[in-house]
Amino acid sequence: MSATPAPPHPDRPRITELRLSAFAGHRRAVLPLGPLTVLAGPSGSGKTSALRAYDALARLGGGAQLGAVFPDPVACVPERARPDAQHRRGFRIGCTADGAAGPVHLDVAVQAEPELRIVGERLTAGGVVLLETALRDPGRRAVQAAWHTAGSAPVTRAPLPDDRLGTPLLPLRVAGKTDGQRRVLAAAEQMVVALRSVFACDPRPGRMREPVPTGSGRLLGGCDNLADVLWRTRAECGRRHAQFVAAVRAGCAGPVADVLAEPVAGGVVRALLDRGDGTRTGLARLGYGELRYLALALVLFTGPGVLEVDPAGEVPAALQTLTVLADGFDRGLDVRQRAELLRLAVRMCDRGHIRLVAAVADATWAAGTDGVTVVDLVT
């Protein structure tokens, strides 16, 4: 593992560690996360499941229901996990968020069988348990929660639903009258803000080649609607678009004077490369690696207003960090393309408003690069 940290951004909450205590193929795994993290390992080493766990925590932090986040929860249970006397099996994941409140730790235990529910949650900071929940009565659809008060009573107890994370619910339950309560609220807000604004991305070139209808102009995780996004963004910020074109020029074959979208019959738009000599090349003619490179470059140049993410609307954008989860980051790319894309990712992540967790089979080409944390999932 090698890392050269970027300059600190103390006002921006960010996830600095992912814990997979018992999740899919992982047991007692602790993954450090920097501004740009590369998860490396061969097929079956757990790269995709690590990204899935991060995305699940992000969605739970946004208030999503457990069933929507884990449609197939049994697949998340470690393969050799044995059921207990009540025939229960499950999994455990967690993370650490750093920011103005210092390191805040969240750990969640989920029961997958015989029914899906959160059976335990713990939020801690500075060695103090700020929130703890436990399933006391399996017959009730609730967990017993206790949160730090530090007032006349050391803790406050109340039931919370067992199908949602308790941490994002705390602002609705904690009054904030004591120093202890205010500490709980600060830690919960830091964790939720750090987890929100996650964009899980794995471009699908086959779908990017086809014209698409105009819509929201927000990029989907598969980048299927890249033409619609270009139709919107090309006119929004000329400077950013010029930088994007320069990046595409560095990673695509032949001259590139512009990247644009144009309407075609049927109320749809298609994306094109303007070669600068009167020739325009449709994306259908580009190679697999060129399309993935182009899509990932666009992701790195855009933000929550363009990507299909769920930002914390009540928090100023300047205090939020977009986290991109890129599976198969180097899939289909040649040596030049992956080097250019890594260089672009380092530059964008160094600014502090975007973080990247990328999965690759072999990270030897990225190891030792300033600003890159390489996590080998095999060692």
Side-chain angles (χ1 to χ4, degrees):
M1 181 189 315
S2 62
T4 302
H9 302 275
D11 293 331
R12 293 180 183 269
R14 64 270 184 203
I15 300 300
T16 56
E17 183 179 86
L18 179 66
R19 291 183 294 280
L20 308 173
S21 302
F23 184 80
H26 298 277
R27 282 189 178 273
R28 296 180 294 277
V30 179
L31 312 181
L33 303 176
L36 197 170
T37 305
V38 175
L39 305 180
S43 178
S45 61
K47 304 184 297 295
T48 298
S49 60
L51 295 180
R52 189 166 71 244
Y54 192 128
D55 186 49
L57 284 169
R59 295 177 64 190
L60 290 172
Q65 288 190 322
L66 198 62
V69 175
F70 297 107
D72 184 14
V74 176
C76 302
V77 178
E79 189 173 22
R80 299 182 184 278
R82 296 179 178 274
D84 63 12
Q86 286 74 43
H87 307 288
R88 297 176 299 186
R89 295 200 309 157
F91 52 90
R92 290 178 289 131
I93 56 179
C95 61
T96 297
D98 208 349
V104 177
H105 312 282
L106 173 67
D107 293 282
V108 185
V110 178
Q111 175 186 293
E113 296 175 321
E115 55 185 342
L116 181 64
R117 60 201 314 184
I118 293 177
V119 295
E121 177 181 351
R122 178 175 287 189
L123 186 73
T124 61
V128 177
V129 178
L130 302 177
L131 168 70
E132 189 167 28
T133 73
L135 181 65
R136 303 297 185 192
D137 182 357
R140 297 183 61 194
R141 297 302 308 188
V143 292
Q144 184 63 37
W147 54 83
H148 184 62
T149 304
S152 57
V155 298
T156 299
R157 301 182 188 278
L160 289 178
D162 67 352
D163 64 344
R164 295 180 186 271
L165 203 62
T167 296
L169 299 177
L170 287 176
L172 303 176
R173 307 298 293 269
V174 180
K177 294 181 178 179
T178 69
D179 289 343
Q181 290 176 341
R182 287 189 285 271
R183 185 177 183 184
V184 171
L185 289 173
E189 179 182 273
Q190 178 168 294
M191 179 59 68
V192 170
V193 173
L195 281 173
R196 299 278 287 273
S197 294
V198 164
F199 183 67
C201 175
D202 189 2
R204 296 176 287 192
R207 299 192 178 187
M208 292 163 56
R209 292 188 170 100
E210 300 298 323
V212 297
T214 55
S216 67
R218 290 167 65 86
L219 191 65
L220 302 176
C223 301
D224 311 19
N225 63 332
L226 184 141
D228 178 36
V229 174
L230 286 173
W231 178 255
R232 168 195 168 185
T233 61
R234 184 170 177 267
E236 287 187 346
C237 180
R239 179 174 175 272
R240 183 173 60 188
H241 184 75
Q243 293 176 332
F244 168 63
V245 172
V248 173
R249 187 180 301 122
C252 290
V256 177
D258 199 358
V259 185
L260 67 155
E262 67 175 13
V264 293
V268 296
V269 293
R270 63 170 182 166
L272 308 159
L273 299 187
D274 185 343
R275 299 300 189 178
D277 59 359
T279 302
R280 290 186 169 185
T281 304
L283 294 197
R285 292 181 174 271
L286 299 188
Y288 182 92
E290 287 181 302
L291 287 170
R292 282 189 60 87
Y293 173 90
L294 189 152
L296 289 168
L298 181 62
V299 168
L300 292 171
F301 272 113
T302 54
V306 176
L307 305 178
E308 190 65 45
V309 300
D310 179 30
E314 67 280 8
V315 178
L319 300 182
Q320 299 188 54
T321 301
L322 168 69
T323 300
V324 175
L325 308 179
D327 202 4
F329 183 71
D330 63 341
R331 188 186 309 132
L333 304 186
D334 61 28
V335 173
R336 175 179 59 100
Q337 289 168 334
R338 72 186 186 188
E340 290 290 346
L341 197 59
L342 182 67
R343 189 176 299 112
L344 172 61
V346 169
R347 178 158 58 92
M348 301 305 291
C349 291
D350 187 58
R351 298 178 179 180
H353 68 280
I354 185 171
R355 293 168 74 86
L356 172 66
V357 184
V360 302
D362 179 7
T364 54
W365 56 275
T369 302
D370 287 347
V372 179
T373 299
V374 176
V375 180
D376 191 335
L377 296 182
V378 176
T379 58

